[in-house]
Amino acid sequence: MNVFLVAGEMSGDRLGAALMEGLKEVAPNVRFSGVGGPLMQAQGMQSLFPMDELSVMGIAEVLPKYRHLKRRMHQTAEAVLAAQPDVLITIDSPDFCLRVAKEVKAKNNIRTVHYVAPSVWAWRPKRAVKMARVIDQVLALLPFEPPYMEAVGMQCDFVGHPVVSEPVATEGEVQAFRDDHGIGDAPLLIALPGSRRGEVSRLTPAFGEVVEKLVAAKPDLRVVLPAAGPVAGLVKELVSDWAHAPVVLDPNDVAPDVALARKRAAFRAADVALAASGTVSLELAANATPMVIAYDMSWLSWQIMSRAALIDTVTLVNLVSDTRVVPEFLGPSFKPENIAPAILDVLGNPSAQTEAMAHTMQRLGQGAERPGLRAARAVLEGLDG
């Protein structure tokens, strides 16, 4: 069995790796090719080009790189056609992946599967109609998504979110992490400004201002910042002038398994998180770490996206649990003077988010068969059908 996969960012790399692991279990002779990051490469893929070239978000951010991205789209589609796989699986990054699928479908009826349903329930609902022209099957992470996809003619399987099956640090690992970094029993904030260069550059300075305000109120506060590998150098540069230096976890400094264990310990050890919008809120919920979400983008991107939004929150914990307990500060409200008091409130009452986080994990498939294996079975059943 020959499978071509395309992922465009770190969260997609995690999804792809879990799916590949599942496929190897149910189809031992499977072979992989495509575009992926370090986790997918560790499962047996040689990436066509570095995945981080595709990690761009926002209209104003994409425009300067449009020609290069278009070349990569064409290169990827040509590689799919040359490989003639049994199935093309595109993972998230719909602006890139669906264009690749469209180019492939124009020349060959290779079966196409898209992993992660586009958030048509949040904005641009007509995307599902366009998507159905080039995608045969969708693997959904959220339990309420299949009806949106099926309504326009695509097969859609809810396979659960992989965050529910990822291990969390033990109490012993948490204590060792605190001891190793001289944190002791001090309150700990985990800062997570994203994994893309654009968002890291935009969010990190403001996160530093938030930290300065927090330390003024809680002088014993410590801060840890796990950096994504491709932007670790940039993160270190941006935090070098913070008045209160964080512990930066650079995954490039240690072996991959050590880096992952250290990151898990940081997530579990933290008393509160300040995080960019995205899948990270689910990782925090899996660790029962209460959070505040804060995100900014270019003026143009904000104007377009805010006008198109169909929902009143972007935080996945709020959406899946059908609550609004996680504070979020987006666009114009992304200001340190707004964010810092919210973090202090969460530190003062961390249990306010506990039930919503637990409910989110249950709805995403905690306790059931692991999502990567469920996704692999769905892909095979689609091929057999």
Side-chain angles (χ1 to χ4, degrees):
M1 180 180 176
N2 183 9
V3 179
F4 197 107
L5 303 101
V6 182
E9 52 189 300
M10 296 298 291
S11 59
D13 187 41
R14 289 195 297 272
L15 289 169
L19 171 58
M20 291 167 72
E21 183 180 20
L23 284 169
K24 287 193 287 187
E25 188 169 330
V26 297
N29 294 323
V30 66
R31 290 170 290 124
F32 302 114
S33 55
V35 180
L39 299 178
M40 292 172 69
Q41 291 174 44
Q43 288 293 331
M45 171 191 285
Q46 183 173 345
S47 187
L48 191 60
F49 52 82
M51 184 193 71
D52 60 358
E53 291 185 20
L54 308 181
S55 298
V56 184
M57 183 177 182
I59 296 163
E61 292 81 2
V62 168
L63 287 176
K65 299 183 178 181
Y66 176 73
R67 289 186 178 179
H68 178 70
L69 289 171
K70 192 171 181 180
R71 284 195 295 271
R72 287 304 197 195
M73 288 174 199
H74 181 68
Q75 178 187 1
T76 304
E78 288 298 311
V80 176
L81 293 167
Q84 287 293 299
D86 296 289
V87 60
L88 164 64
I89 303 175
T90 54
I91 306 169
D92 210 358
S93 303
D95 289 331
F96 181 89
C97 285
L98 297 184
R99 284 176 170 84
V100 170
K102 180 180 180 180
E103 188 172 338
V104 169
K105 279 290 194 183
K107 299 178 181 179
N108 193 299
N109 198 32
I110 293 168
R111 183 168 178 81
T112 52
V113 177
H114 190 68
Y115 197 175
V116 183
S119 50
V120 295
W121 38 267
W123 71 304
R124 289 171 56 197
K126 292 183 180 179
R127 284 179 294 166
V129 177
K130 294 180 180 179
M131 182 175 172
R133 298 169 187 160
V134 298
I135 295 296
D136 300 306
Q137 180 182 9
V138 179
L139 307 177
L141 305 187
L142 306 177
F144 53 79
E145 292 178 320
Y148 292 93
M149 304 293 105
E150 293 166 348
V152 295
M154 288 179 286
Q155 177 183 341
C156 186
D157 299 274
F158 167 61
V159 297
H161 199 291
V163 72
V164 302
S165 61
E166 293 175 357
V168 297
T170 65
E171 290 300 322
E173 290 168 331
V174 166
Q175 191 57 54
F177 177 84
R178 282 179 166 266
D179 292 343
D180 290 345
H181 296 284
I183 297 167
D185 295 327
L188 180 63
L189 167 75
I190 185 169
L192 299 155
S195 60
R196 306 178 186 92
R197 294 190 67 84
E199 65 188 3
V200 167
S201 299
R202 191 166 52 250
L203 302 185
T204 304
F207 277 26
E209 294 180 44
V210 172
V211 168
E212 189 173 349
K213 292 180 181 296
L214 292 174
V215 172
K218 294 188 75 68
D220 60 338
L221 181 76
R222 297 293 305 278
V223 182
V224 61
L225 200 164
V231 296
L234 175 61
V235 167
K236 290 178 180 178
E237 179 183 336
L238 291 170
V239 304
S240 62
D241 61 353
W242 282 20
H244 190 76
V247 174
V248 177
L249 304 181
D250 183 350
N252 301 311
D253 291 342
V254 293
D257 59 331
V258 175
L260 189 55
R262 192 172 59 178
K263 177 185 173 183
R264 287 174 179 152
F267 269 72
R268 189 72 170 180
D271 296 293
V272 65
L274 170 59
S277 173
T279 307
V280 70
S281 71
L282 300 181
E283 294 181 69
L284 292 165
N287 284 274
T289 302
M291 68 200 84
V292 171
I293 300 300
Y295 198 84
D296 198 14
M297 59 189 72
S298 73
W299 180 88
L300 177 60
S301 295
W302 170 257
Q303 292 301 316
I304 294 173
M305 295 183 72
S306 62
R307 283 169 169 76
L310 304 175
I311 51 176
D312 64 347
T313 178
V314 300
T315 301
L316 288 171
V317 171
N318 286 342
L319 288 165
V320 176
S321 67
D322 197 23
T323 68
R324 297 297 182 266
V325 295
V326 176
E328 59 183 29
F329 300 90
L330 313 174
S333 68
F334 179 83
K335 296 177 181 178
E337 59 267 29
N338 296 337
I339 300 166
I343 293 175
L344 292 172
D345 287 346
V346 173
L347 272 173
N349 186 21
S351 62
Q353 297 182 22
T354 301
E355 185 177 350
M357 291 190 291
H359 195 37
T360 296
M361 291 300 103
Q362 184 271 327
R363 283 191 169 182
L364 293 181
Q366 194 170 58
E369 188 175 61
R370 72 181 191 274
L373 182 55
R374 291 171 67 180
R377 294 192 197 284
V379 169
L380 290 185
E381 288 169 5
L383 284 170
D384 291 341

